Amino acid sequence: METKNDTTPIEKVFPDAEDFLPINGTDYIELYVGNAKQAAHFYKTAFGFQSLAYAGLSTGVKDRESYVLIQDKIRLVLTSPLKSGADIGKHIDKHGDGVKAVALFVDDAFSAFDETTKRGARPYFEPKTLSDDLGEVRMSGIHTYGETVHIFVERKNYNGIFLPGYQKWESHYNPTPIGLKYIDHMVGNVGWNEMNTWVKFYAEVMGFTQLISFDDKEISTDYTALMSKVMSNGNGRIKFPINEPAEGKKKSQIEEYLDFYEGAGVQHIAVATDNIIETVMALRDRGVDFLYVPDTYYEDVLDRVGEIDEDLKPLKELGILIDRDDEGYLLQIFTKPVNPRPTMFFEIIQRKGAKSFGKGNFKALFEAIEREQELRGTL
Ligand code: FE2
């Protein structure tokens, strides 16, 4: 296993990669969930998302219902099946609620499909054009790890609310947003010895470069270990860390995820805020549970990260973690899993110059996760 030391500056392992797949950003994230209507209510209430669009029986869709939520640049699509035996229901039965599609906003969905499939991507659906009286959207899709897919969305000729087939969702229930701005990164957990397969996939099939890697000596506690590599597209707007478990004394959190998700999948969605203290206070008020961080973490944290703009007191009260790299620092916090299965969770992150992912917090974080695993009896 080739890995880089944590002191290695951010480097390009594949410097010659050609950007044959220009990506403007994350277009939307679609979750397959047991009850999209109730999940939409949860994400509005707890996370401050706004109602955007709807598709289902009343819009002529017979087999599924989808609610689209928005907060600044983040769009979440929550989809449930209307009949048994369909792919969506099978996905939910196997994985529980989870991310099915990470849709990427591109200039040319047809070329994105051609360029990736000719490099070995497995097609999810062929390029197609959807249209209504507000214009047209071109889309295509490929498979990635597990049953997760990437959908390429080209919307430059579309003026509708979301996609053709969706209608505006007007709601009289509109909880205020809490300052979530955009998707900072999305992390995939893959199986034993699969990390490099998927690093290679993102490098060769999608033209991404590797930013950072960590090995199990860096990311380990007494009990648990993992390895991680961060893949990023050409303009850096898309960052996908890929984790795989490593041998520890007890079951690692990645292994626990793989057991409960029954395969590889999206582990966490990291969303950016400009004011993490206000955002996290709002999330707590609205019932979101975060991982507990021991008070001892704060005893020497400033020795490790140096001076920061924020008072330590509210960070400690809220359990917000701090880390620093060569370019600045970052503040971050992790929710508990948002589903019954200990699988997907959210990270809230505020970057103050730092471009890394909080490696200095991994040990404190994993110890916090292990306390939760202990309670679940899955350590
Ligand atoms: Fe993260």
Side-chain angles (χ1 to χ4, degrees):
M1 175 77 48
E2 7 102 75
T3 46
K4 296 290 167 203
N5 193 284
D6 59 303
T7 54
T8 310
I10 285 177
E11 33 100 42
K12 305 269 182 186
V13 172
F14 307 97
D16 299 327
E18 162 207 359
D19 201 1
F20 53 81
L21 179 61
I23 302 172
N24 303 316
T26 308
D27 195 280
Y28 65 86
I29 295 168
E30 182 169 24
L31 287 84
Y32 282 175
V33 299
N35 188 331
K37 190 170 197 166
Q38 291 187 4
H41 190 80
F42 169 77
Y43 283 107
K44 286 171 71 171
T45 302
F47 285 85
F49 281 90
Q50 309 296 301
S51 301
L52 181 70
Y54 165 86
L57 290 174
S58 65
T59 66
V61 177
K62 301 277 190 276
D63 65 338
R64 65 182 68 190
E65 183 170 71
S66 296
Y67 292 85
V68 188
L69 303 172
I70 189 164
Q71 188 163 182
D72 205 329
K73 292 193 171 61
I74 311 163
R75 280 191 291 237
L76 279 189
V77 181
L78 303 160
T79 297
S80 294
L82 295 176
K83 292 194 169 92
S84 66
D87 288 347
I88 303 170
K90 287 179 191 159
H91 194 279
I92 296 165
D93 183 45
K94 184 167 174 63
H95 304 295
D97 287 4
V99 172
K100 174 63 183 179
V102 178
L104 303 169
F105 171 31
V106 297
D107 290 331
D108 188 336
F110 282 50
S111 137
F113 184 83
D114 291 344
E115 295 293 338
T116 52
T117 52
K118 87 177 182 205
R119 288 172 170 83
R122 190 157 62 92
Y124 176 55
F125 63 83
E126 297 282 322
K128 62 184 179 186
T129 304
L130 305 174
S131 57
D132 61 17
D133 45 11
L134 293 164
E136 64 173 43
V137 173
R138 304 206 306 167
M139 296 170 86
S140 60
I142 61 169
H143 288 268
T144 177
Y145 49 77
E147 288 198 274
T148 317
V149 300
H150 288 308
I151 294 175
F152 301 116
V153 184
E154 172 192 335
R155 49 171 72 254
K156 58 179 179 285
N157 297 315
Y158 193 61
N159 294 311
I161 191 73
F162 178 55
L163 293 174
Y166 284 79
Q167 68 181 32
K168 190 166 169 39
W169 174 18
E170 302 275 10
S171 173
H172 64 267
Y173 177 63
N174 304 301
T176 49
I178 55 151
L180 303 181
K181 317 266 307 174
Y182 59 88
I183 306 289
D184 186 276
H185 60 275
M186 289 190 68
V187 180
N189 282 345
V190 301
W192 294 93
N193 304 314
E194 285 182 1
M195 178 175 66
N196 285 335
T197 305
W198 291 105
V199 163
K200 198 162 172 269
F201 168 86
Y202 281 106
E204 291 179 1
V205 172
M206 295 188 66
F208 283 28
T209 53
Q210 185 180 326
L211 293 183
I212 314 170
S213 72
F214 310 107
D215 68 14
D216 49 335
K217 281 163 212 68
E218 296 170 87
I219 313 181
S220 65
T221 64
D222 284 349
Y223 295 123
T224 187
L226 69 77
M227 293 182 282
S228 185
K229 290 186 177 178
V230 181
M231 302 304 291
S232 170
N233 79 316
N235 60 19
R237 289 185 199 168
I238 305 294
K239 292 187 271 308
F240 292 148
I242 312 280
N243 296 335
E244 88 169 45
E247 290 291 350
K249 281 188 205 151
K250 293 192 180 178
K251 183 184 278 192
S252 81
Q253 46 143 328
I254 308 303
E255 223 180 326
E256 183 195 36
Y257 176 101
L258 296 169
D259 284 355
F260 278 91
Y261 199 73
E262 298 189 19
V266 171
Q267 179 211 37
H268 73 266
I269 302 172
V271 287
T273 170
D274 288 339
N275 190 332
I276 197 167
I277 293 174
E278 282 181 14
T279 296
V280 172
M281 275 171 33
L283 286 164
R284 292 226 314 196
D285 286 349
R286 293 159 181 233
V288 174
D289 292 324
F290 291 94
L291 285 180
Y292 165 78
V293 180
D295 283 354
T296 50
Y297 171 87
Y298 295 92
E299 283 168 10
D300 57 359
V301 67
L302 293 182
D303 299 337
R304 180 164 63 79
V305 303
E307 212 172 289
I308 57 169
D309 301 335
E310 294 74 13
D311 285 337
L312 197 58
K313 192 163 174 277
L315 299 178
K316 180 178 172 181
E317 279 166 10
L318 296 167
I320 294 166
L321 304 165
I322 315 153
D323 196 25
R324 183 178 287 277
D325 63 21
D326 294 344
E327 295 171 89
Y329 68 97
L330 62 82
L331 304 162
Q332 65 186 165
I333 190 169
F334 299 86
T335 72
K336 291 186 182 178
V338 290
N339 300 316
R341 301 190 197 189
T343 53
M344 194 188 98
F345 58 89
F346 285 86
E347 171 182 350
I348 313 298
I349 183 166
Q350 181 178 5
R351 294 188 179 277
K352 307 209 69 171
K355 293 206 176 70
S356 50
F357 298 85
K359 182 182 121 26
N361 289 321
F362 286 171
K363 194 171 162 65
L365 178 66
F366 291 174
E367 284 166 353
I369 292 174
E370 283 165 16
R371 278 190 291 279
E372 301 283 324
Q373 283 183 275
E374 191 92 66
L375 292 172
R376 291 193 283 262
T378 60
L379 189 62

